[in-house]
Amino acid sequence: AGQGFMRGFSLLTRQPILTSALRPPSAYVFMSGRKMSDRAQRLQEEERETLLLPLLSDGWATLTARDAINKKFKFKDFRKAFQFMQGVAVHADQLDHHPEWTNVYNTVDITLTTHDCDGLSRRDIELAARIEEEAKIVKQQ
């Protein structure tokens, strides 16, 4: 495995993956109580205000063109940006919810929305919170 990473297995596909050496593979647990077949519900207006506020204060922004949130993450170099993306991929795999993202050198641009409900859902909030934690871990290394 690469520097700072160790081998693990995807909870969904059972295929080998690289995971952050800071957290053992056993730390990656499926979101409790959710079945993969559960259809996501679009956030209600009162949920939006409560659940989005912490993310907006962390630099996420709502998009005007569609019901989604976006944030650009900047890292020291390409290696750190890619390490971050690998960590986010593990979380996305666990949640069965995948970001729209691009990477150019040390910048990762992420947009979250739930296509099942054509807008923001609790899945986006959960993944955004995990993305924030992953960014903190990678930037501290």
Side-chain angles (χ1 to χ4, degrees):
Q3 184 180 20
F5 290 90
M6 56 191 235
R7 291 216 177 271
F9 289 91
S10 165
L11 294 172
L12 295 175
T13 65
R14 303 285 185 217
Q15 298 297 313
I17 58 170
L18 294 179
T19 62
S20 171
L22 294 178
R23 285 171 298 189
S26 61
Y28 297 109
V29 181
F30 225 96
M31 193 165 72
S32 63
R34 190 178 141 239
K35 298 175 192 155
M36 287 177 51
S37 61
D38 287 348
R39 186 170 170 86
Q41 300 293 317
R42 196 171 188 163
L43 290 178
Q44 300 299 315
E45 203 54 44
E46 56 276 359
E47 288 179 304
R48 294 174 75 81
E49 293 175 19
T50 306
L51 297 175
L52 282 176
L53 190 59
L55 295 174
L56 296 175
S57 68
D58 280 338
W60 288 84
T62 55
L63 299 182
T64 55
R66 62 191 184 131
D67 193 21
I69 55 175
N70 175 270
K71 184 173 178 179
K72 287 185 182 180
F73 294 86
K74 197 163 198 158
F75 298 91
K76 184 176 96 172
D77 54 26
F78 174 76
R79 182 175 290 183
K80 288 291 185 184
F82 192 74
Q83 179 183 350
F84 167 72
M85 291 178 73
Q86 286 179 308
V88 170
V90 171
H91 294 294
D93 195 34
Q94 291 171 349
L95 296 173
D96 192 29
H97 190 60
H98 303 90
E100 297 171 14
W101 58 4
T102 59
N103 166 240
V104 177
Y105 184 58
N106 67 338
T107 303
V108 180
D109 188 351
I110 300 177
T111 298
L112 298 177
T113 191
T114 303
H115 299 283
D116 287 349
C117 67
D118 195 30
L120 289 171
S121 74
R122 286 182 176 265
R123 291 181 189 178
D124 300 303
I125 304 303
E126 173 70 18
L127 184 54
R130 291 186 183 200
I131 288 169
E132 285 297 320
E133 287 302 311
E134 193 66 35
K136 288 175 189 170
I137 290 167
V138 170
K139 287 179 179 183
Q140 288 174 356
Q141 295 177 340

